[in-house]
Each structure stands twice: as structure tokens, then as C-alpha cells.
Amino acid sequence: MQNKRKLHKHLLLIYIIYCAALTVGFLASFVPGFSRGWQSAQSSMAREELQGKRTYYVSAQLLNDGRGDLPIAGLSENVAADIDRLQLHVSVPEEYTPGNIFKVLANSSWAYLMLAVSGCSYLAIFVLIALIINSLRKSIRDEQPIRHSNIARTRAIGILILAAELCQATMQYINNREAAELLAGTSYEVALCFPIDYWNLIDVILFLFMAEVFSIGTQLSEEQKLTI
């Protein structure tokens, strides 16, 4: 009983820290960045509409042998700087319309869609993790086996991580293709690859493995109750 109380307190502490970290991260990082980006986008769109133009952004990873020296005024002679990632702001002579208003990334609505799906996936992951921690805390407090819903939630987290990674890789590939066309004929060469982060794939495997551990633990708990 003493061990269960201690474990319950540990899970409660983890739950509080997790919620606090999400709150601080949201208030300190997301809100200011979103506010600055929104205001900048509004002023930029208003100015471009007067000029009959619209702007889209392209971000791409450069190849190691295609990097160029970056001149910086006042930089010491014994310090060299080169470009690893390039971000381009492209203005095109056309007005904003319902058909192109979402083409803010790589001049492609698909890139924007991939970004939105990826963001929604991570938001769902945060919610599911909070639900799992809270459910485990309640199970220990009430001396009940792990709920079956946590198994499905853990599997869902693995699937959502995979979906977010594929969306981000697709979005970056679209950016790379657009950047390659824009930089054609220059000294910069873009890495034309499908940039999968394999550490995220390992996270997918770990969460699917955790789901199986939860499933086995639940079955053993139920069998033990039936035996008693």
C-alpha cells in the first residue's frame, strides 16, 4: 500500500510538471511568436495588396559541397561563415485570391496542409499523453488495473508521431523542390531528398512497444483477479 501511495504521488507530480511545462512553453514561445508572425503577415499582406503582389517563403537545406561563404561586415579575418540552410522570400506579380492565399509555403497549398496536419498531430499527442498520465494516476489511486483506453491512446500516439513526421518530411521535400528551381544556375545546391528523421521513427516503435506492454500488463492483472 505504501508503494502504491508513493507511485501515485510520483505520477501526480509528473502530471503537474507536464501541464506546467506545456503552459509555460505555450505562453513563452508559441503566443509571442504567433502574435509577431500574425502582425507581420497582416502588414505585409496589406502592403503587397497595394502593390499587386503576393509573397511566399521557401526554406531548404543546402548540400555540404554547395554551401557558399557568407560575408559579414566586421567579422574577423580568421573566422569563416557559411550557409547551411537558406530561406527565400519570393514576390510574384499577382494579387491574393482564395486559390493562392494558402500558398505561403513553397508556393504550394499542399505544403501548408502538411504543416497544419503536423501541428494538429502534435497537439493531439500532447492531449493523449496528459490523459494517459492522469488515467494511470487514477488507476493506482483506485487500485484498478490499467485501463484498456490507455492501450489505444499509446498506439494512437505512435501513429500520430509517424503521421507528423511524414507530413513534415513531405513539406520539406516540397520546399526543397521549389528552392532547387529558384536557385538553378547559382552556386548553391539544394539537398533533394525526402528528409525523414529516423529518431522520430524510433519514437514510433517505442510507443507501439509501450502499448503492447500496457496490453500485457492489463491481461495479467485481469487474470490475477480471476484467479483470486
Side-chain angles (χ1 to χ4, degrees), residues 174-207:
I174 295 173
N175 273 267
N176 291 344
R177 290 289 301 270
E178 181 67 16
E181 294 181 7
L182 294 172
L183 295 174
T186 68
S187 59
Y188 300 111
E189 188 175 357
V190 179
L192 284 176
C193 60
F194 196 74
I196 288 288
D197 187 344
Y198 290 96
W199 287 110
N200 283 338
L201 296 184
I202 292 176
D203 290 339
V204 172
I205 297 172
L206 288 176
F207 273 100

Side-chain angles (χ1 to χ4, degrees), residues 136-178:
L136 290 175
R137 182 182 64 84
K138 290 181 178 179
S139 295
I140 293 173
R141 182 194 62 190
D142 301 335
E143 299 184 4
Q144 296 293 327
I146 297 174
R147 299 177 182 178
H148 288 279
S149 59
N150 288 328
I151 302 172
R153 289 168 182 167
T154 307
R155 287 173 179 159
I157 290 174
I159 295 172
L160 286 170
I161 293 175
L162 178 61
E165 178 57 31
L166 291 176
C167 287
Q168 288 185 338
T170 303
M171 179 189 66
Q172 188 57 59
Y173 179 73
I174 295 173
N175 273 267
N176 291 344
R177 290 289 301 270
E178 181 67 16

